[in-house]
Amino acid sequence: MIVLSYLICNWREYMNPLYQSYANTLDQLKQQGNYRFFKQIERHGEYIQLNQKMMLNLSSNDYLGLALDAQLKRQFIQQYPIQQQYLTSSSSRLLTGNFDEYEQLEASLTQAFGRASLLFNSGYHMNVGILPALSDEKMLIISDELIHASMIDGIRLSKAQKQRYAHQDLKQLEQLLIHAMDHGAIEKIIIVTESVYSMDGDITDLKALVALKQNYPKVMLYVDEAHAIGVYGDRGLGVAEQMGCIHEIDFLVGTFGKALASVGGYLICDEIIREYLINTMRSLIFSTAQAPINMAWTNFVFQHMQGMTKQRTHLLNISRRLKQAVLAKGLPCPTDSHIIPVIYGKNQIAVEKALQMHDVGFYVLPIRPPTVAVGTARVRICLHAELEWNQLEALVDVL
């Protein structure tokens, strides 16, 4: 162990010369304050311990607090016998990896959403695979400029023509659509957006996008509900449910790794799209399927989540209250959701404020360029349904 530690500390002495450019990049990232590394975190319920300091965790995506629910875990284990608990699928679904647990979860999704469904290993697998499978040179993808990296990578991998519109600027989007409709070489257009954006916390007007889509016959709509599933709608099915437009969205995708306390991604679509992707989507065809026990847990949580109306209401109430407190301090806060960005502008101020919040017992992180635009550095606060307002009062004092 001592020898290993010495080698790690003195890695430059033994570095392959071919790696020098990578080392230079790492040095630049450190100088810019953008160097990433894994933290050694101990978890104690809704608190975490980092560097011997206990803090309330306000950086998690566990929006309903289900990952912390020990009773829910016990109920799942009691009803899922150990002899059925396959810890690996050992195969892609198209070979020998299509267990009953997959079929049951997809049946639950189809029943809830009223349309066909398809499962994926992760949100990244999902977004990086669907768009390339659907596209060719005669397709145009028009995306909001602030979509998640997974969708950006999916668009890059596709053969489609590509355009972007300014964040939430539907007037610019319509101008792009008008121009594209006159372009004879374009046969299909997909608009790509998110329903809840994770950096600003703002919510897309999906009804307006659906109305726009319906005016142009070549257009389809792709909406990622990663940060909305579980939180919005009467049954927690997302912003599309809340706005009453599930059936008008061609590709409605989301993840289980946030409010649903599990892992994986899903697509809600027409049956013909489902069958097409099973036959063409590389990240689905060539990936070992998730462990069946994960699918069983997701299905269990999904059923439980739909009845959590009280928790959803509470979460959104404390979110609105915290936003009002931020605005009362004279700080910009564009959110409409349970994600509260406190925008300080300058990188150093955001870092200092995050550390100040650590000091009073809140684990939050500063978000800086290039993750967000220059001049919009912020501290991002992610709330969950198990919080009470009195737990946040000390945070408000140091905003």
Side-chain angles (χ1 to χ4, degrees), residues 23-314:
N24 293 342
T25 298
L26 290 173
D27 288 341
Q28 291 172 9
L29 290 171
K30 290 174 182 176
Q31 292 169 9
Q32 295 163 0
N34 290 326
Y35 181 73
R36 293 178 171 91
F37 57 93
F38 295 121
K39 302 175 182 68
Q40 297 297 317
I41 293 174
E42 293 183 21
R43 290 160 184 82
H44 304 272
E46 61 185 2
Y47 290 83
I48 65 170
Q49 186 172 340
L50 178 64
N51 298 328
Q52 300 180 338
K53 186 172 186 60
M54 194 74 75
M55 294 174 279
L56 183 64
N57 185 2
L58 297 180
S59 291
S60 168
N61 295 325
D62 182 24
Y63 300 133
L64 293 175
L66 292 173
L68 304 174
D69 194 331
Q71 182 179 355
L72 194 67
K73 296 174 191 175
R74 284 194 295 270
Q75 290 174 0
F76 169 69
I77 292 169
Q78 287 169 2
Q79 75 170 43
Y80 191 49
I82 191 168
Q83 62 268 25
Q84 296 180 18
Q85 295 178 13
Y86 287 95
L87 301 181
T88 177
S89 67
S90 303
S91 171
S92 74
R93 284 187 74 185
L94 287 167
L95 296 178
T96 62
N98 190 36
F99 289 73
D100 288 344
E101 287 84 348
Y102 284 87
E103 304 282 349
Q104 291 163 2
L105 177 53
E106 286 177 338
S108 295
L109 291 167
T110 294
Q111 182 179 20
F113 285 94
R115 303 177 71 193
S117 62
L118 185 60
L119 300 173
F120 308 101
N121 283 6
S122 70
Y124 214 107
H125 270 85
M126 172 182 73
N127 284 329
V128 84
I130 294 175
L131 291 168
L134 294 168
S135 65
D136 58 23
E137 294 86 351
K138 296 179 181 179
M139 176 179 284
L140 170 64
I141 297 176
I142 308 178
S143 59
D144 187 293
E145 65 178 352
L146 295 187
I147 56 171
H148 189 263
S150 57
M151 285 179 280
I152 292 173
D153 288 352
I155 293 170
R156 287 173 175 170
L157 287 170
S158 76
K159 297 179 180 179
Q161 301 176 53
K162 307 160 182 69
Q163 291 182 335
R164 298 195 302 172
Y165 61 96
H167 182 52
Q168 303 283 34
D169 190 340
L170 300 192
K171 290 184 178 179
Q172 184 188 13
L173 171 59
E174 184 160 26
Q175 290 302 309
L176 293 173
L177 290 175
I178 292 170
H179 182 265
M181 293 301 293
D182 296 330
H183 200 303
I186 296 174
E187 295 181 351
K188 299 186 185 76
I189 301 169
I190 298 182
I191 299 170
V192 179
T193 187
E194 297 181 48
S195 61
V196 177
Y197 280 84
S198 64
M199 290 298 130
D200 284 348
D202 54 331
I203 298 176
T204 300
D205 188 345
L206 296 184
K207 292 181 71 174
L209 275 179
V210 166
L212 195 59
K213 165 200 157 176
Q214 292 172 340
N215 288 334
Y216 300 95
K218 294 181 181 179
V219 175
M220 296 180 286
L221 188 55
Y222 188 109
V223 177
D224 191 324
E225 295 250 57
H227 293 275
I229 182 70
V231 179
Y232 296 91
D234 290 341
R235 293 172 295 155
L237 301 183
V239 174
E241 182 195 20
Q242 182 165 297
M243 295 188 178
C245 55
I246 288 174
H247 292 271
E248 285 70 47
I249 297 171
D250 301 275
F251 314 98
L252 185 65
V253 302
T255 60
F256 302 123
K258 296 179 172 59
L260 271 72
S262 187
V263 64
Y266 66 88
L267 165 66
I268 306 299
C269 61
D270 286 346
E271 182 63 37
I272 189 67
I273 297 298
R274 181 182 189 275
E275 292 187 22
Y276 180 81
L277 291 174
I278 290 171
N279 284 274
T280 61
M281 183 174 162
R282 294 173 64 85
S283 61
L284 171 68
I285 295 170
F286 299 109
S287 287
T288 297
Q290 277 195 24
I293 191 172
N294 288 340
M295 298 297 95
W297 166 250
T298 302
N299 196 13
F300 178 79
V301 173
F302 181 69
Q303 303 294 344
H304 182 79
M305 173 279 296
Q306 293 180 61
M308 297 183 68
T309 303
K310 181 179 178 181
Q311 290 87 338
R312 281 187 276 277
T313 300
H314 174 68

Side-chain angles (χ1 to χ4, degrees), residues 322 325-326 329 331 344 353 356-357 360 362 389-399:
L322 183 56
V326 174
K329 297 284 187 178
L331 295 163
Y344 293 104
K353 294 306 292 187
Q356 192 174 352
M357 294 175 195
V360 295
F362 298 95
W389 179 252
N390 59 14
Q391 293 178 275
L392 301 173
E393 290 175 346
L395 176 68
V396 173
D397 290 341
V398 296
L399 286 175

Side-chain angles (χ1 to χ4, degrees), residues 317-332:
N317 283 341
I318 62 170
S319 300
R320 283 190 286 269
R321 189 169 178 181
L322 183 56
K323 175 182 178 175
Q324 292 168 1
V326 174
L327 294 174
K329 297 284 187 178
L331 295 163

